[in-house]
Structures are given as C-alpha cells and as structure tokens.
Amino acid sequence: PICSLCCSLDARCHDLCKPEPARARWQLSAALRRLTPPAWWPQLETGLGRYLLLMAVVAPLLAVLLALLYQAELRQLGDAATVLAPTLRAGFIKAYCALLLVAGVIGWWLVLTQISRRVAQEESNRQTEALVKEIESHARTDEELQRAKRAADDARRSAEAANQAKTRYVSAISHELRTPLNSILGYAQLLDEDAGMPPHRQHAVGVIRRGGEHLLSLIEGTLDIARIEGGKLTLDPRPMHLRDSLQQIVSMFELQACAKGLRFEHDVSAAPGLVRADERRLTQILINLLGNAVKFTAKGGVQFRVSHVRGMAVFEVQDSGPGIAADETPRIFEPFSRGAHASAAAGPGTAGGTGLGLTIAKMLTDLMGGEMTVSSRVAAPGAPDSGTLFRVRLFLPALQGVHGPRPAPLRGGYSGPRRRVLVVDNEEVDRTLLSRRLGGLGFEVLQAASGQAALALLHETRVDAILLDLAMPGIDGWETLRALRRQALSDAPVAIVSANAFDKGLDNDAGITPADFITKPVRMDELLDWLGAQLGLQWQTAAASPQAPAALPTPGRPPAEAPRPAKAQLRALQDMVNLGYPRGVQRLLDDMQAAQPEAADWLAPLQALARNFDFDRMTPWIQDALHTSEAD
C-alpha cells in the first residue's frame, strides 16, 4: 500500500512506503539479472554499468529514429532518390554520430546526477538517523536528569528536614539551659554588687559568674554554628576602637600566659585607632585563637602580631606548642575535631576543649568575607621548630573623624518621672530577678505570670514598657503580642526577653526587630540601653563603692627554689583537691603554713588559687612537687 499523505508531502522518499519488490528499480534489476550472466551482476550497480545500459537503449532508439527519417526522405525525393541516396545516407550517418555523442554526454551527466542524488539522499538519511538517535539519546539523558533531580530534591528535602530538626533540638536545649542560667548569673550579679560581702565570698561569687559565663559562651557557640549553617546569623558592623580592644585582649591573655610560665609577645601598634567592624564577632575570633594558643602550649611562648595596610588587616597568632599533624590539618576546622596532642598539651587537669572554637572562628571569618589559614610543624616535644601559626585576613576600613562607642558609665537611676514596666514571664525566679534589678533603678515593676494575665492587667493599667517572654503556658509570647496589637490595649514599646535565642534573627509579623530581642541570661547593660532608647531616659551615674574589693592579681607559679612541704602533706593536699572541698583545701594549706613557715613562699600561690577555687591549676603544681620530692 502507498500512503498518499507521505507521497504528497515528501517527493524525495523514493516510495519508501512501498515493499521492495514493488519498486521499479528493483524490478528492472531483477529483469537484467535474468537476462545477464551472474558475473555481470556486480557491474550493473556501478555508474559505468548504468551508463552502458542507458546507451544500449539510447543508441538503437536513435538509430531507428534516423533510419525512419531517412526512409521518409527517400520517399519524398521520388525519382531523384537513386542519385541522392548516397549523399543523404552519409548526412544521416554524420547526424547519427553527432547525436550519439551528445546523447552519450547527456547520458553520463544523467548517471552522475542520479549517483550524486543517491549519495546525497543516503547522507541525508544517515544524518536523519543520527539526529533521531541523538534526539532519543537526549530524551533518555533528560529522563535521567529528571530522575537525578527528583532524587536530589528528595535528598535536599531530607537534609533540610534533618537540619530543621537539629535546629529545633539545639534551640530547645538552649532554652532549657538558658532559663536556669539566667537565674544563676542574675543573682550572682546581685551578690557581686553587694559591697558588704566578705572578700572570700566575693571571690566565690566571681567564680560562679565566670563559670556561668563560660557555660553561656558554649551555648552561644552552639547556636552560632546553627545560625551560620542556617544562614540566620547577620553581622553588625559599627565603628570600633580596634587598638583599644586589642589591648584589652592582650591584657587578658598576658596574665594567663604568665600563670603558665609562657612568654607572651605582642605587637598591635600597626592597628588603626578606629575601624568599621563587628566588634563582638572579631573579638570572638581572636579570643578563640589566642585562647587555644595559650591553652595548648606547655613551653616557650605565644606571639600575637597585627598589620594593617590599605584597609586589609592581618592577625597572626603563633605558638610553640606541639603542632598539628599533616593528616589532621584538613579536619582542624570541623566541629568537635581536636588534635591528637590537644589534651596532652593542655596539661593535667585541664580540659582539652569542646572542639567548637576553631569551627566558629573559621565560619565567622568566612562570613565576614575574610580568610583564615593554618600552618603547623610537628617536632619532638620542646623542640624550637614546633608550633602552629594561624593567620586571619579581614577587610577592616579605617575611619577618620568618627567617634566610636565608649563604655557606658555605671547607672544608678534616671531623671524624670517614675516609669512603669510590665514583666511577663511564667518563671517566678526570672520575674523576681528583673523586678529587683529594675526596682533598684527607680522603675515601678508590674508582674504577670501568663499572657492572659498580662492582657487582663493592661485593660486596667497603663505601662511605659513591656518585657515579654515567649515560652509560656496558654498563649505564648507571640500570640500575646498579636492580641495586644489587635485589641489596641497599649502603645508601649515591647521587648522580647526569652531564652529562645534562635528566634532572634527570624522574621515575624509582630514588628519585633533583632534590637528588640534580648536573650536570657539577660545582660543588664543591654536591657537598660533598650529602655533608655525607647523611653528617652537620662541616666544618672552611680558612685563607685569604696568598699568594693579590688580584684586579686593572677597568681604565678610557685618558685622552684622555695622549700616545699613534706611528701605526706602534699599527698593529703592532692587528695583534698581531688575531692573539690574548698574549705578543706584552705584549712589544710593554713595548717601546712603554720607547721612549716619556711614554705610560705611556695604555698602563697596555691592559697591564692584556692581562694579563687581554681583547683585545676593547683593539680599540676602539686604533681611536680611530688615528682621532685620522689627524685630527691
């Protein structure tokens, strides 16, 4: 059957829809094969064979045609045909030869044209087949890509779900830790401000505050990693007194290095006075690097260098510690990754760290558009060529004619009419703490234990500011704030005071900005800054308390040449330190000094550490004394 539609649309198909025996070419070839010997068959498909076959048909037909014309001419001549026949025959023969030559040329041109068309058609067919195959291949590739995309989307959704679950877990754990920590640090601050407290208890409160602040830094470090990974952490670049901040950091670590018997060399003279940077994040990076350098260096020293050229600041922290092995260097910035020599280098009784400091420092450096690199060499213990060098490059443009922030003076109250503040929190301890701190500054503080109670109170009472917790039974803080806005109960500014620190950077429909979000444990300076800005307060400076005890200097290592107590007394002291009994340790040290007055110089640093409850640093000194006594 013949498809009329195909034949009407494409005249070059050469009857592709016909079966092979129905084609004229095939029938002609079959007839020729029947008329010729098999040895000729291969030649019939060549160009020369086709030309000869064509001329075998054209030459006889041309001869027959001229012969008929010749006979017709003879009949026209009549009686004169006998005389003119030879001449006429010669003319027809010449004409036949000429026409045969022309027919031969035309026949060869037709054969070549047919061959060319066939070759072109075959090439077109091959290209069409290749194109069809390529289209089919593209279709298969596209199908595979779609399948891979669906698998990648499924994997991405699974990863996002896992990341969200991790974020919710970290946020929940942070909230549960911050809630009691808020009370611990709040009341520790209250006790620390009590000028009538005895010095030894003042030091105990200081230890509680330092421990709580360290725990808070660990919580914030974990949240920082979650925020950075989730893209929720934002920078707050402001004018920063870089040289003053670096001097404060240097002063902090000079004492720590001196207590370990290390040299601490620093050069911050090249740092400009004022730059634009996120002071909190930059300080966090440098404290992490310097803290690790001092912590994991047992002998030698630590060097801290700063350079600043054309807005590019380079901070270098180099130590003479044990170094980082080459196979550990690629993993040093991974979370919870610690080198094999970390615990040993930190010294006995000192924790090796959580493994988050370098991770956070590297993430913050990348977030600030900088670069952090590390180079290290591991050598024999105590060798001069061992150690690690951390280099941080950040763009910190210097500022001219701009005044940066200065530390706020101690506030003891405010001028003007008394302001009323509403504290909404389901935790009675947290409400009471804020009430005592704000009440001492002259505020009238109202309390509400739930969102419903706060809304009921606002129906009857006008307030100047509202401090609102988020996690509460019944309606939470967000719903309470929406109801307050919806019912137009108060136009007072609202601050979120919550342990849900991860919500600080999230978008919300209640008009709360990150500046209006104060995380627990509450830093009173931050809360008072917010109240002062929202209420337009003029703060009154509090006079310094003359009874406040001065901070004790960090004790140095006991002198090696000083007389030591007996071995039995040292072992008893070590046992008491292992028990962690502060009064027992202090009493035993006093007894040892009374029994052996010549050891007073050696016992003095230990007594200072005992008053600071710093038992971890006492342990290696006692162990060294025991080893020396056994060697003697």
Side-chain angles (χ1 to χ4, degrees), residues 127-146:
Q127 292 180 359
T128 302
E129 292 177 359
L131 181 61
V132 170
K133 291 181 180 179
E134 185 174 358
I135 292 174
E136 293 176 351
S137 176
H138 277 295
R140 289 193 299 269
T141 303
D142 185 67
E143 183 179 355
E144 293 295 329
L145 287 176
Q146 293 297 329

Side-chain angles (χ1 to χ4, degrees), residues 45 111 144 218 280 302 324 356 368 384 389 440 470 485 553 570 577 589 613:
E45 299 296 331
V111 169
E144 293 295 329
L218 293 179
R280 178 187 174 192
V302 175
I324 304 171
L356 292 177
M368 296 170 71
L389 170 63
L470 290 181
R485 298 280 194 253
L570 291 173
V577 169
L589 288 171
F613 303 96

